[in-house]
Amino acid sequence: MKTIVLTAFFLLELIAMFAFGYWGYHIAGTVKIIIAIVVPVCVMVIWGMVLAPKASYAVFSYPTRTGLKLVVFALAAAALYTSGQHAYGIAFLILSILIIVTVFINDWHKI
């Protein structure tokens, strides 16, 4: 069970990065390709520095980091929703909440 949840958590991270890129590409204007690349890269850098299990700047406790990950996932769901992918945005948010709750219930915060 733990392996399945942790794999799903990792897939959520990848989908979130895709969602930010998709959102960036669907912004009107001539800079959409730049935004589609820069926004996910910035999120990845911040994730790696602050939210990853072996983060460079682990200034938050594991439960706090898990809560902040939910915020990132919620922003990714909002990005999908605002780019016209309403069903995917809602489904991603619901799945993110279910996985985060599973992590909290089983005390697997070190992910």
Side-chain angles (χ1 to χ4, degrees):
M1 176 72 172
K2 183 177 181 178
T3 305
I4 293 170
V5 173
L6 296 181
T7 302
F9 200 98
F10 178 68
L11 290 174
L12 283 178
E13 294 173 18
L14 294 178
I15 294 168
M17 298 310 131
F18 169 79
F20 288 123
Y22 186 85
W23 171 80
Y25 185 78
H26 286 87
I27 290 178
T30 58
V31 295
K32 64 183 178 181
I33 292 183
I34 294 170
I35 294 173
I37 294 169
V38 170
V39 170
V41 168
C42 289
V43 172
M44 283 183 231
V45 168
I46 292 170
W47 188 284
M49 290 176 61
V50 179
L51 299 177
K54 296 181 181 179
S56 306
Y57 302 102
V59 294
F60 303 112
S61 65
Y62 283 111
T64 304
R65 280 195 246 172
T66 305
L68 290 173
K69 290 176 185 180
L70 181 59
V71 170
V72 173
F73 293 152
L75 289 173
L80 284 173
Y81 192 87
T82 57
S83 18
Q85 301 298 327
H86 302 283
Y88 289 130
I90 293 169
F92 183 75
L93 181 62
I94 291 169
L95 190 60
S96 299
I97 291 170
L98 289 174
I99 298 223
I100 294 285
V101 166
T102 304
V103 167
F104 262 88
I105 288 173
N106 293 302
D107 199 31
W108 297 331
H109 300 296
K110 296 183 179 182
I111 61 168

